[in-house]
Amino acid sequence: MSELNRQARAAIDAVARTISPTWNPPDAHIIVAGKRVGLQAGTLRRLSTGKNAGKLRLRFDKVANRVISRLQVAAVEIVPDGMTVVVSITAPIRLASKTAASLEELIRTHLARKRSGPDAKATIHGNRVRVRVLKNKSERAPRLIGFVHNSDSDAALILDITEEMLELFAATQQNALGR
């Protein structure tokens, strides 16, 4: 058994034991609310290298949650099908309402550019923000994923990890559907 298979099996075992008392190791599935749910594990390259991964500090305070929620609602109208926008904002968020409105406009502008780079960086009302537009291959991917992080966290690493996770989810979904 390869090292990746051992790591994947260990991860699946840990999740299954935590979530479900009904665990069937050979089939890698758990029973949740009477339904059989399959488990699969993968490795994120950026996290496995250990580069600044320990310094990722996210914020979940009331202001951060409100700004991200507002952006997610706006994304339903702004972001086209087949795309996901990933946003990072450095905390503490100053002038939250104005920052969210300006960030919505930045997302619109970045999406409208035909040949823009993958990331848009800006400082909005004293808040450092970064926006990355991704083409998603999963029908279930959200239109906007947002993070509010401490200033010592690497915003590019947060966006890279999110991109890898979306790719992993899409590959898992395609494998499950037999595509």
Side-chain angles (χ1 to χ4, degrees):
M1 182 181 279
S2 74
E3 183 60 31
L4 179 59
N5 287 342
R6 279 187 224 142
Q7 287 177 345
R9 175 56 75 189
I12 288 172
D13 285 343
V15 169
R17 280 192 308 269
T18 302
I19 294 176
S20 175
T22 308
W23 164 226
N24 189 352
D27 294 338
H29 76 268
I30 58 176
I31 306 298
V32 178
K35 296 189 182 205
R36 184 177 177 204
V37 179
L39 299 176
Q40 186 172 1
T43 303
L44 298 174
R45 294 179 308 274
R46 292 298 298 251
L47 276 182
S48 64
T49 63
K51 178 191 169 203
N52 295 325
K55 290 188 174 187
L56 296 181
R57 306 225 192 293
L58 302 178
R59 301 280 291 261
F60 299 97
D61 56 67
K62 204 181 283 189
V63 174
N65 290 336
R66 199 168 39 238
V67 169
I68 297 301
S69 292
R70 177 177 170 174
L71 292 173
Q72 288 172 328
V73 168
V76 172
E77 304 221 353
I78 298 172
V79 181
D81 288 338
M83 300 192 114
T84 297
V85 174
V86 185
V87 175
S88 73
I89 308 169
T90 302
I93 298 176
R94 295 167 189 90
L95 302 172
S97 217
K98 289 181 180 181
T99 297
S102 296
L103 197 44
E104 287 175 30
E105 191 55 40
L106 177 65
I107 292 168
R108 275 189 187 92
T109 303
H110 193 59
L111 285 168
R113 291 189 186 139
K114 300 292 183 199
R115 294 192 160 259
S116 62
D119 290 2
K121 298 179 203 175
T123 300
I124 299 173
H125 302 292
N127 305 290
R128 289 191 327 261
V129 299
R130 199 164 186 160
V131 174
R132 182 175 292 175
V133 177
L134 305 172
K135 291 181 180 165
N136 63 47
K137 298 170 187 138
S138 170
E139 298 93 37
R140 296 172 47 185
R143 300 223 181 180
L144 184 128
I145 301 172
F147 298 96
V148 178
H149 58 88
N150 290 349
S151 60
D152 61 344
S153 295
D154 182 358
L157 181 60
I158 292 170
L159 299 181
D160 290 345
I161 290 169
T162 305
E163 185 172 358
E164 276 190 60
M165 287 185 74
L166 286 173
E167 289 170 1
L168 183 63
F169 292 152
T172 301
Q173 185 179 16
Q174 288 174 350
N175 288 342
L177 297 174
R179 292 181 187 170

